[in-house]
Each structure stands twice: as C-alpha cells, then as structure tokens.
Amino acid sequence: MAHYDIVILGAGAAGMMAAIQAGRRGRSVLVVDHAKYAGEKIRISGGGRCNFTNVNATTDRARDRFLSANPRFALSALSRYTPEMFIAMVREHGISFHEKTLGQLFCDGPATQINTMLLGEMRKAGVTLVLETGVESVARAESGFALQLTTSSITCDSLIVATGGKSIPKMGATGLGYQLAEQFGLRLVETRPGLVPLTFETGALERLKPLAGIATDAVVRHGKTAFEEALLFTHRGLSGPAILQISSYWREGDAIAIDLLPHQDAAELLREARKATPKLQVQTVLAGLLPKKLAQLLGEQLDMAGMVGDFSDKKLAAVEALIKDWTLKPVGSEGYRTAEVTLGGVDTRDLDAKTMAARDVPGLYFVGEVVDVTGWLGGYNFQWAWASGYAAGQAA
C-alpha cells in the first residue's frame, strides 16, 4: 500500500497551491481529483482569461470583502500570501496580464496559462497528480489517514481537503468536502449559491423580458450594502456584476433597490426637462436618460399621462424615486448551476486561521471554497484559494 506524507483531495486552485508549497518543503505529496483535467474552474474563469487575483485582497482593504460567520478569519492567511506574491509567480512564468476596473487582474492570453504554470510548479516540487480517480472512503489510521480510492488504497500522515463547493455541478462539483467535515466532527455553516443571477416570479419576469440583453450602469443595494457596477437584464431575471455581488448578501423574501442614474441628480435633470422640453411625455424624457426599452417599462410603471411641463413637483418626485430607488423583489436565484461560488461551508470555529488545520483532528486541513469564506467578485476568491492553500501547504 502506497504511503504519502500528504494527500490532497482536489486539483483546483487551493489544492494545487497547497501541493506546490508542501512539495517544495520536501514532503511526498499526492493530489487526487475525479475530474479529467486539473483546474477546470480556473480554465473557465474571467471569460476564459482568469481573473487570478485582486490587488485589493489585502488585510487592510479586504476586511469587508470576504463573507463568513467570522469575516476576520481570512485575514491571517491573506496577510502571509499576498496578491503581490502570486503576481510575482505569474511574472516569473512570463504570463502577461492587465488590470481592469476595481483592482481586478486578468491574463492577456487564455486562462490555461495559469493552469500550465501551477502544473509546472507541481512537477518541479515533485508532486504526484492522479486524475479521473474517485474517493470511496476516508478513515483514521494508526498514524494519519487511510483512503480507499477507485483505483487503489493509500495512507498518508496529513490530509488536505480542497474539494471546492457545490457551484457549477456540470464541472464535477460535489459535496465530498462537507461530508468529510461532518465525518470528522467539524461543524458546517449552511451552504447556498453565491455570486449568482437573481430570478423573478412569472408576472415580474414577463414585464422584464423585453429588456433581455440590455446592460446599464447602476448601484444595486440590499440593506446597507451597495455595489456600483453593470446591471444586465436576462430572460430569467437580472445578472451582471452588480447583481452577482449583491446576491451574496440577498436572502429569499428580501427586496433589492436600484439606482439607475448613479452620481446624477435625477431631480435636477427632471426639473430641467420640465422647463426645456415641457411638451414631452415623461417616458420620452426617461428615454433621454436611460436605455429606451427600460425607459418604456418605467414609464408604464409610473402610469402618469400628460406632458412633463404639466407635472407638479410631487409628480416629479415620484419619477425621481423610481429612477433612483427602483425596488424589485427577486424570488430566487439560478442556483448552483450558474453560481460562481458557494457561500457557507466548513465552520471556521473548527479551523486554525494560521494553518487551516482542524483544531481537534490532527493532520486534517480544509482550504479554499469548502471553507466558510467567500470573497467578492473580481479575483478575491482566487486569492483566498492561493492564500489558504499556501497556509496548509506550509504547515502539513
């Protein structure tokens, strides 16, 4: 029976980083994944360009950008493996990249360059990678763990669980990591889809359907949380970066509010229209400020006949309120099928923030998306994967 110092379950971002770090320390490392290829979520991320980190994913700026029952948990790992450290690896491999808005870094070329880089570093570190291999059981052994794989039986001193969450099941996402956590007595925070488009009931969806394909800049709010990015209308409801971001905070039964004219004084614009173009219908005025079909829908919702020149201040205030505080009530999300991440997971109370080790199970570690740490859209979740993988790889 083969024995390894460390077995890592999952050949995604966190698993590969953990393997690289452990291998560099001279540990014998086996990475096991049931998928055909390593790093499948890396390959499709960022529209195929891999948004591999965010320059703002630092301890100073990231305090409010990671969701968790304990938002401070992630800061320890993030402080010891920074975006600059991953960027240095990217530069070393000659991968060209660029910064988009809000600190997001993308490859100039295909995302597969990041996979090639990580796989190359694993080989240099002497890591063994086994793909298309399932895990049938994991048990405590006399010293470490005994694993029954679909192809063989193995043992190890340390086990790093990097199996990811439930998002995008067509790419092979499973609940294995959560099952292992429960098996070894760790608590779980309820999981749900994150960074996911929102959907509406049939009546609201019928009203919104003519807008499918239209994108506009907006500020989307839920409670005290707000994101200013693009909003996209779809055949199923709402998507775009602003909606994906707010979806991580939204809960069933809640409403969201949308400012369709961010940084613009809608009241002043409407008063100017009343004075300059008094014979226009309000819908026509709105069409000068917003996409035409969106203006038409809002005009129908207002149901205010007559020329804008005849509108009282009270009527103009109602128009302004709709533009700046358009309230919609989603009924759900598109679910794990299209969710970029999984919220919730292994409870951080049961993990050591410095090493990612299970507090009460020597030799067991959890890293990446399987843990109850979820970042904002835009490279934060990859940086958490690199940082948590690094932490476990340095300790196991």
Side-chain angles (χ1 to χ4, degrees):
M1 184 183 296
H3 179 83
Y4 297 86
D5 292 330
I6 302 170
V7 169
I8 299 172
L9 302 182
M16 288 195 282
M17 177 58 79
I20 292 165
Q21 300 306 319
R24 287 175 179 174
R25 293 171 50 232
R27 310 284 274 161
S28 61
V29 182
L30 173 69
V31 179
V32 179
D33 201 301
H34 68 285
K36 189 175 182 178
Y37 303 103
E40 278 292 82
K41 284 187 80 172
I42 296 174
R43 181 182 62 80
I44 67 165
S45 67
R49 297 289 182 180
C50 189
N51 179 193
F52 57 82
T53 192
N54 192 298
V55 297
N56 297 311
T58 62
T59 52
D60 289 338
R61 298 181 182 178
R63 293 177 186 274
D64 64 343
R65 300 181 185 188
F66 286 88
L67 287 76
S68 171
N70 176 12
R72 297 184 63 83
F73 178 86
L75 300 182
S76 177
L78 291 168
S79 70
R80 283 175 295 110
Y81 193 84
T82 64
E84 290 72 24
M85 294 170 75
F86 192 79
I87 292 167
M89 187 193 299
V90 170
R91 291 188 190 279
E92 184 182 326
H93 282 259
I95 299 172
S96 60
F97 62 91
H98 58 280
E99 180 176 338
K100 285 193 175 180
T101 58
L102 306 173
Q104 304 170 57
L105 300 188
F106 288 79
C107 296
D108 290 344
T112 49
Q113 294 174 103
I114 300 296
N115 277 336
T116 300
M117 175 187 78
L118 295 169
L119 291 167
E121 290 295 327
M122 284 169 60
R123 283 192 295 272
K124 282 199 301 184
V127 174
T128 301
L129 172 64
V130 177
L131 297 170
E132 297 183 275
T133 301
V135 178
E136 294 183 347
S137 66
V138 178
R140 271 309 229 168
E142 188 174 322
S143 174
F145 301 87
L147 290 84
Q148 180 61 54
L149 307 180
T150 51
T151 54
S152 63
S153 299
I154 59 172
T155 58
C156 62
D157 296 325
S158 297
L159 180 66
I160 299 177
V161 180
T163 50
K166 299 178 181 179
S167 58
I168 319 182
K170 71 177 182 180
M171 299 197 69
T174 70
L176 176 62
Y178 308 127
Q179 294 164 20
L180 291 174
E182 288 189 307
Q183 176 184 331
F184 288 103
L186 281 75
R187 291 167 287 189
L188 295 177
V189 174
E190 183 181 3
T191 57
R192 58 192 178 86
L195 301 180
V196 63
L198 297 177
T199 58
F200 293 85
E201 54 87 14
T202 305
L205 191 59
E206 284 301 314
R207 292 191 296 274
L208 292 173
K209 264 188 177 179
L211 306 182
I214 292 175
T216 187
D217 289 334
V219 173
V220 180
R221 298 191 308 278
H222 175 270
K224 295 181 179 179
T225 304
F227 292 97
E228 181 183 351
E229 293 191 64
L231 168 74
L232 174 67
F233 294 90
T234 73
H235 289 290
R236 297 185 183 92
L238 292 175
S239 188
I243 292 296
L244 298 186
Q245 294 278 40
I246 211 68
S247 72
S248 293
Y249 296 84
W250 174 83
R251 298 289 191 280
E252 284 78 359
D254 292 350
I256 58 173
I258 303 172
D259 178 352
L260 293 165
L261 287 178
H263 307 300
Q264 294 191 63
D265 187 337
E268 180 60 27
L269 291 171
L270 291 168
R271 285 193 296 269
E272 288 176 2
R274 180 171 62 181
K275 182 178 179 181
T277 55
K279 294 185 178 181
L280 293 183
Q281 300 288 320
V282 68
Q283 190 169 294
T284 307
V285 172
L286 292 177
L289 303 172
L290 301 166
K292 186 176 179 181
K293 287 185 178 179
L294 176 56
Q296 182 178 343
L297 181 143
L298 294 175
E300 291 170 356
Q301 184 171 332
L302 283 165
D303 193 23
M304 292 182 180
M307 297 179 292
V308 71
D310 297 328
F311 275 34
S312 63
D313 288 345
K314 185 177 180 180
K315 276 191 172 184
L316 285 187
V319 179
E320 178 202 7
L322 187 60
I323 297 172
K324 300 292 285 184
D325 194 30
W326 188 27
T327 302
L328 295 171
K329 196 170 185 178
V331 294
S333 75
E334 291 191 8
Y336 291 114
R337 182 181 64 83
T338 59
E340 296 200 14
V341 294
T342 304
L343 292 153
V346 178
D347 197 320
T348 59
R349 290 178 296 176
D350 294 333
L351 300 177
D352 182 279
K354 186 176 180 181
T355 64
M356 306 305 297
R359 294 186 184 279
D360 298 326
V361 188
L364 181 62
Y365 301 77
F366 289 85
V367 297
E369 190 181 346
V370 73
V371 179
D372 176 34
V373 173
T374 303
W376 282 6
L377 184 72
Y380 290 94
N381 289 294
F382 272 130
Q383 188 57 37
W384 166 244
W386 313 136
S388 60
Y390 177 89
Q394 287 286 311

